[in-house]
Amino acid sequence: MHNLLLNFLQAVAPLREKIRDLEQSFSQKYPPVKFLSEKDRKRILITGGAGFVGSHLTDKLMMDGHEVTVVDNFFTGRKRNVEHWIGHENFELINHDVVEPLYIEVDQIYHLASPASPPNYMYNPIKTLKTNTIGTLNMLGLAKRVGARLLLASTSEVYGDPEVHPQNEDYWGHVNPIGPRACYDEGKRVAETMCYAYMKQEGVEVRVARIFNTFGSRMHMNDGRVVSNFILQALQGEPLTVYGAGSQTRAFQYVRSANV
Ligand SMILES: O=c1ccn([C@@H]2O[C@H](COP(=O)(O)OP(=O)(O)O[C@H]3OC[C@@H](O)[C@H](O)[C@H]3O)[C@@H](O)[C@H]2O)c(=O)[nH]1
């Protein structure tokens, strides 16, 4: 009798654990989300939405009450960056590479998909070029088909190795088309050109934001950009590595400031 009871208790123990897990998942707390009426609630696609900058934009648009679809191929993006939204009725996460076409219905597209840190985008320059050219073409095609507005996350690197400081929008840049950074610089330049061609020829509503060197939470520890490198080296008590003569100039911004 005693053994029977013991066996029974042993058998139900894993079940109890499962029930506890299920209960926890039902009472999962999401960050606070505004209620928007049907009329104000937009269906928004964020490519690269699980990335460093993209995931902060995902947070902002989710908390504003929109329906957000994140598309990411997880090359530099991470599921962990958006896991706090998984299961929310306004949120969807799709593992997809923008180099392949995508057919969904949306009102707005924030096109951020691309590695952004120099070591990451130089790791596979052809892939970086495909992402920024074919990927942007696919997203503009989608915008045209569904009548969505598209915002392209461009970069200060469209100015190349600038001869003017600080750079304003009238400056056309100083770019080496065959230099080590060309895959990203020229990829983003042609992406901008495509946006304006789709606007002029097809009437697609576009926006282009040239994002400068960004730092903040969810940056990879081994991102390779200067801020995370210096922090890591400082924490490890190592000397900070300044490349070249250290006379470079950069404009920095905090990641949350990029999303307001
Ligand atoms: O460890 C380091 C890293 C970088 N640097 C220097 O610090 C400066 C900044 O370099 P980063 O690697 O942080 O990146 P960059 O500013 O060159 O480009 C970045 O900023 C603009 C974004 O739009 C781009 O996506 C991103 O590549 C460069 O002059 C670089 O030579 C160091 O001195 N030491």
Side-chain angles (χ1 to χ4, degrees):
M1 185 65 193
H2 179 73
N3 272 354
L4 210 67
L5 189 65
L6 214 64
N7 287 346
F8 173 74
L9 287 176
Q10 272 171 354
V12 294
L15 282 175
R16 278 199 177 149
E17 244 168 66
K18 267 213 178 110
I19 290 169
R20 203 177 322 125
D21 287 351
L22 272 172
E23 276 172 354
Q24 264 171 7
S25 73
F26 285 140
S27 60
Q28 189 186 348
K29 292 261 177 299
Y30 297 103
V33 167
K34 247 196 249 166
F35 173 77
L36 282 184
S37 66
E38 192 103 345
K39 165 175 79 66
D40 297 322
R41 194 167 58 231
K42 301 267 181 287
R43 296 163 304 169
I44 301 178
L45 165 66
I46 309 179
T47 74
F52 162 49
V53 175
S55 64
H56 285 280
L57 181 62
T58 299
D59 287 352
K60 161 102 179 74
L61 294 172
M62 280 296 296
M63 290 194 284
D64 282 351
H66 297 290
E67 285 174 23
V68 176
T69 299
V70 163
V71 158
D72 211 298
N73 70 350
F74 301 107
F75 172 52
T76 54
R78 286 180 297 187
K79 219 180 239 176
R80 196 191 314 157
N81 290 342
V82 290
E83 71 179 354
H84 47 285
W85 295 116
I86 290 174
H88 193 287
E89 59 179 342
N90 286 355
F91 181 76
E92 197 160 5
L93 177 62
I94 304 177
N95 185 339
H96 176 87
D97 191 322
V98 290
V99 169
E100 305 300 331
L102 179 70
Y103 296 95
I104 58 173
E105 303 300 316
V106 286
D107 305 306
Q108 295 182 353
I109 302 168
Y110 288 83
H111 180 40
L112 279 74
S114 172
S117 149
N120 289 334
Y121 66 63
M122 288 193 273
Y123 169 76
N124 188 341
I126 296 173
K127 181 72 187 180
T128 301
L129 275 165
K130 283 187 185 171
T131 302
N132 281 294
T133 55
I134 303 169
T136 302
L137 207 65
N138 283 337
M139 291 308 109
L140 283 163
L142 172 63
K144 179 184 142 192
R145 185 174 64 81
V146 300
R149 188 175 80 194
L150 180 142
L151 177 133
L152 169 72
S154 186
T155 167
S156 54
E157 297 215 27
V158 296
Y159 301 115
D161 192 4
E163 298 146 307
V164 172
H165 298 283
Q167 297 83 45
N168 64 40
E169 288 177 14
D170 302 327
Y171 181 54
W172 291 355
H174 180 235
V175 183
N176 177 358
I178 53 169
R181 286 173 174 248
C183 59
Y184 188 65
D185 299 4
E186 297 288 21
K188 287 290 187 187
R189 283 173 75 93
V190 81
E192 288 195 10
T193 308
M194 286 172 179
C195 286
Y196 282 85
Y198 268 76
M199 181 187 75
K200 284 174 198 148
Q201 196 178 319
E202 305 290 348
V204 175
E205 217 190 317
V206 295
R207 303 281 186 277
V208 172
R210 291 179 182 157
I211 303 174
F212 281 62
N213 198 317
T214 308
F215 63 92
S217 60
R218 301 186 192 151
M219 201 167 186
H220 275 239
M221 209 164 60
N222 55 355
D223 175 275
R225 270 174 281 191
V226 67
V227 174
S228 51
N229 278 6
F230 279 7
I231 292 174
L232 207 62
Q233 287 167 330
L235 289 173
Q236 290 170 338
E238 287 172 10
L240 311 183
T241 48
V242 175
Y243 300 160
S247 55
Q248 306 92 311
T249 314
R250 286 294 187 283
F252 294 94
Q253 74 174 339
Y254 180 57
V255 66
R256 293 255 170 96
S257 319
N259 285 319
V260 288

